[in-house]
Amino acid sequence: MYHAVFRTDASNSIGGGHVMRCLTLANELKKRGWRCTFSTISETLKVIPALLSSGHDIIDSEARIDHADVLIVDHYGLDAGFETAARKWARRIFVFDDLHNRLHDCDYLLDQTFGCDAAVYEAVNH
């Protein structure tokens, strides 16, 4: 069984869309036999109660993770520092990002912004 870990948070002011996007992806992976774990803060569960009833594993964002086939990061506050450290336990790293204002250490990066060009990320790296 493959294991995906999602690192995402939500509060009353930000992040609800990030968590719902990850929950949608996790639900699809689960249909295909994956185990999915959400690494998040407690406030997320208050803002997105659907996460509690989803059937996915939920752990505190500070909890130790031993292994994941893929880490999926959807979080404006995390960057290459977090991602590089996660390489100890994550085989692959996938990042959702649309700010292009920080470095990433990932295998896959998805920016769903219409018309976005990879050059915006190249500019961050210089």
Side-chain angles (χ1 to χ4, degrees), residues 55 67 94:
H67 171 78
F94 180 103

Side-chain angles (χ1 to χ4, degrees), residues 24-38:
T24 298
L25 179 55
N27 289 341
E28 287 303 313
L29 290 173
K30 185 177 182 179
K31 288 179 189 176
R32 290 162 174 78
W34 285 62
R35 175 178 158 226
C36 297
T37 300
F38 279 79

Side-chain angles (χ1 to χ4, degrees), residues 7 69-75 77-97 100-110 121 124-125:
R7 183 62 189 95
D69 293 289
V70 64
L71 166 65
I72 300 162
V73 181
D74 196 347
H75 197 296
L78 300 175
D79 60 11
F82 171 79
E83 296 150 7
T84 298
R87 290 212 177 268
K88 295 175 189 166
W89 52 267
R91 289 184 59 210
R92 296 279 187 257
I93 299 174
F94 180 103
V95 173
F96 285 107
D97 184 49
H100 37 82
N101 65 351
R102 62 204 184 281
L103 293 174
H104 289 289
D105 176 9
C106 59
D107 301 292
Y108 311 98
L109 188 143
L110 178 60
Y121 288 95
V124 172
N125 290 319

Side-chain angles (χ1 to χ4, degrees), residues 6-11 14-25 38 40 44-45 47-48 51 74:
F6 292 81
R7 183 62 189 95
T8 187
D9 293 330
S11 68
I14 194 167
H18 298 258
V19 175
M20 291 307 295
R21 172 170 48 200
C22 288
L23 184 55
T24 298
L25 179 55
F38 279 79
T40 192
T44 302
L45 304 175
V47 176
I48 311 290
L51 187 55
D74 196 347

